[in-house]
Amino acid sequence: MVLRAAQPRRTPSLRTRLLACAAPFALPRDSTLGGALQAATAAFQARDVPEASLSAEHLLTRAAGFGSSRAALASQLNSPLDEEARDLFAEMCARRLERVPVQYILGDWDFHALTLAVRPPVLIPRPETEELVELVLDAHGTGGAERAATFLDVGCGSGAIGLALLRALPEARCVGVDVSAAAVELASE
């Protein structure tokens, strides 16, 4: 994919970004994964955080080192939560209590079999965007000359559409453009 970007800036680590949050959230030292999940879900529900349970699952899955496998987390709910994971999870929960989207807290999000970097001010790819990719793929097919197609992704944002099309159609070419230098930088990653 061809992108035009400003000079890349160094992105602070997830831990550095989370340490900047102000809302307190604490867990007992002897928390299990299940107990931490319940505590976060209850805290989110008490503050009317949307998708409280799902938010807590995604955050704890990452903090506990399971990547994005919520199934792996579910199989270990009786396991103890180590200190490093507990602290990271507490920091993540504090950010979520401030209504920061889970995707921005994690710094990436799965989209159409890809894991994309996401951060403000670039919008988070939506499920409807995955449907758009499927419609384009259905319209263009997957064989022969269709693979050599060229796509123009106007307002490319995170690059989700162009990158998903290129993954499915490796012979295709995609040009992504965006008025936002931050979006172009992110899509270039």
Side-chain angles (χ1 to χ4, degrees), residues 6-48:
Q7 290 294 328
R9 63 179 171 81
R10 186 158 176 91
T11 303
S13 71
L14 176 62
R15 180 168 283 284
T16 301
R17 288 182 287 142
L18 292 172
L19 287 174
C21 64
F25 179 83
L27 292 167
R29 285 196 170 289
D30 60 349
S31 292
T32 62
L33 290 169
L37 186 61
Q38 289 175 344
T41 299
F44 294 162
Q45 288 172 338
R47 300 265 297 272
D48 295 321

Side-chain angles (χ1 to χ4, degrees), residues 8-9 13 67 75 81 85 134 156 160 167:
R9 63 179 171 81
S13 71
S75 72
L81 183 61
E134 287 300 322
C156 67
R167 182 178 187 280

Side-chain angles (χ1 to χ4, degrees), residues 37-70:
L37 186 61
Q38 289 175 344
T41 299
F44 294 162
Q45 288 172 338
R47 300 265 297 272
D48 295 321
V49 172
E51 299 179 328
S53 179
L54 190 58
S55 293
E57 286 179 27
H58 280 294
L59 297 177
L60 184 57
T61 297
R62 180 66 58 86
F66 296 114
S68 60
S69 175
R70 293 181 4 244

Side-chain angles (χ1 to χ4, degrees), residues 134-185:
E134 287 300 322
L135 289 171
V136 172
L137 291 174
D138 288 346
H140 284 286
T142 57
E146 292 86 6
R147 288 186 166 252
T150 299
F151 299 98
L152 175 62
D153 187 358
V154 178
C156 67
S158 65
I161 294 171
L163 292 169
L165 292 173
L166 289 174
R167 182 178 187 280
L169 304 169
E171 299 300 318
R173 183 168 182 251
C174 181
V175 177
V177 295
D178 202 299
V179 68
S180 165
V184 172
E185 179 184 332

Side-chain angles (χ1 to χ4, degrees), residues 20-21 29-30 42 46 65 77 84 100 119 123 141 155 159 161 168 177 181 189:
C21 64
R29 285 196 170 289
D30 60 349
L77 291 177
E84 183 179 339
V100 175
R119 65 176 170 264
L123 298 177
I161 294 171
V177 295
E189 292 178 9

Side-chain angles (χ1 to χ4, degrees), residues 90-143:
E91 294 162 5
M92 291 171 150
C93 288
R95 294 284 312 277
R96 187 65 183 123
L97 286 167
E98 293 174 348
R99 299 290 201 280
V100 175
V102 169
Q103 296 89 335
Y104 289 154
I105 296 169
L106 298 177
D108 60 47
W109 198 246
D110 292 339
F111 177 88
H112 209 273
L114 297 169
T115 300
L116 301 173
V118 290
R119 65 176 170 264
V122 180
L123 298 177
I124 299 162
R126 299 187 45 79
E128 295 85 355
T129 309
E130 291 193 67
E131 292 174 19
L132 173 64
V133 169
E134 287 300 322
L135 289 171
V136 172
L137 291 174
D138 288 346
H140 284 286
T142 57

